[in-house]
Amino acid sequence: MSIAEKTAQQLVQKNELYEVTVHPQSDRLYHVKISKTAIQGFLNTVKEKNVSVESLEYTPYHRLIVSSLLLDQLGEDFSELIRSIIHNRETGGFTLGLEGVTKDTDDYVIFATAITHLLGMPNHDSMSGKYYARFSVKDTDSSDSYLRQAYRLFTLHTDGTFVDEPTDWLLMMKMIEENAVGGESRLLHLDDWNELDKFANTPLADHKFTYKAPQSKNVSQEVARKTFFKVNDKPCICYIDQFAYPDTIEQAHYLSDLSTSMENDSSVIELGLPVGDLVVLNNLFWLHGRAAFEKNPNLNRELMRQRGHFVE
Ligand SMILES: [Fe+2]
């Protein structure tokens, strides 16, 4: 059976090592719960082999080695399972956590790396100069994008709009959270968006918009991208309001109306993600953003991201 043919029911499963359930907040997402024993076993072998965050950064093959150490604990089927979820159009997303086994953020980076390298290869993150990026949101910020501005809604978008390489999937992991109220990840599955047809079936859906990154992203190239494109005959989206440069008033209205429609859609979910948990999404048909935080001078929230492409 191919990955795409797996049904939702086949993804829900339980064994002594992990359990897959429909996510309590959305029937588009799954929650994968790994046993504490398996997580501890994974961390122990990582330590025995002297794998550190530094060795993952410097030596790319170590990233695949940690994936294999995770499969040693969970079995090869685990890899097939999470790839099935991410490739399946009906879902395309899951949450997963370290179950409180460790609070060490280096362990978080290592664990997330083991997960992403079962899905594909991360792209270089120009903002950090690494294959992953950690970024914090605090009370004050002078950055040039909404990524780190705490008290503003960060509108729904996909990642990788302004780079010239595919961004098929996205992992976000909660590293630190102190004095934070609000700031949930806002998510929308394309097929749940009420006005998808209206915006995907108009000539402007095929228009190649110019995308340019702000300086903090360290990407100087411009790319031209269509807002909608098809994969397996299903519409997919590439969109972020902040970095698109329309040429006409009509194009500006199209982008603005599309953004407003998504933001007001009743299917947008605000995901609760505990520290040490991560969410992985198919970036071709899931949009993500962030709710505003409530004002607090001691606000400190840090996320890690890894974005990448599928490898056949
Ligand atoms: Fe993003």
Side-chain angles (χ1 to χ4, degrees), residues 135 147 154 157-160 170 172 240 283 288-289 305 307:
F135 53 95
L147 178 65
F154 186 1
H157 63 279
T158 57
D159 273 11
L170 159 75
M172 292 182 287
I240 185 164
N283 187 55
H288 64 279
R305 70 179 181 206
R307 298 91 64 97

Side-chain angles (χ1 to χ4, degrees), residues 61-97:
Y61 68 68
H62 281 153
R63 305 169 198 167
L64 285 156
I65 300 289
V66 292
S67 289
S68 78
L69 296 179
L70 187 62
L71 293 185
D72 288 346
Q73 297 293 325
L74 301 178
E76 292 288 330
D77 286 353
F78 182 78
S79 178
E80 172 74 6
L81 166 76
I82 63 169
R83 286 189 296 116
S84 299
I85 295 175
I86 291 303
H87 283 271
N88 190 317
R89 175 74 187 208
E90 298 303 311
T91 157
F94 64 86
T95 57
L96 179 70

Side-chain angles (χ1 to χ4, degrees), residues 3 61 82 113 128 141 144 159 167 198 234 251:
I3 283 172
Y61 68 68
I82 63 169
T113 300
S128 64
D141 174 68
D144 54 6
D159 273 11
T167 306
K198 176 180 158 187
K234 297 267 191 178
Q251 291 169 6

Side-chain angles (χ1 to χ4, degrees), residues 1 9 56 108 122 144 165 215 252 260 310:
M1 188 184 303
Q9 226 32 55
L56 295 181
Y108 294 0
D144 54 6
E165 60 191 345
Q215 207 173 8
T260 304
F310 294 131

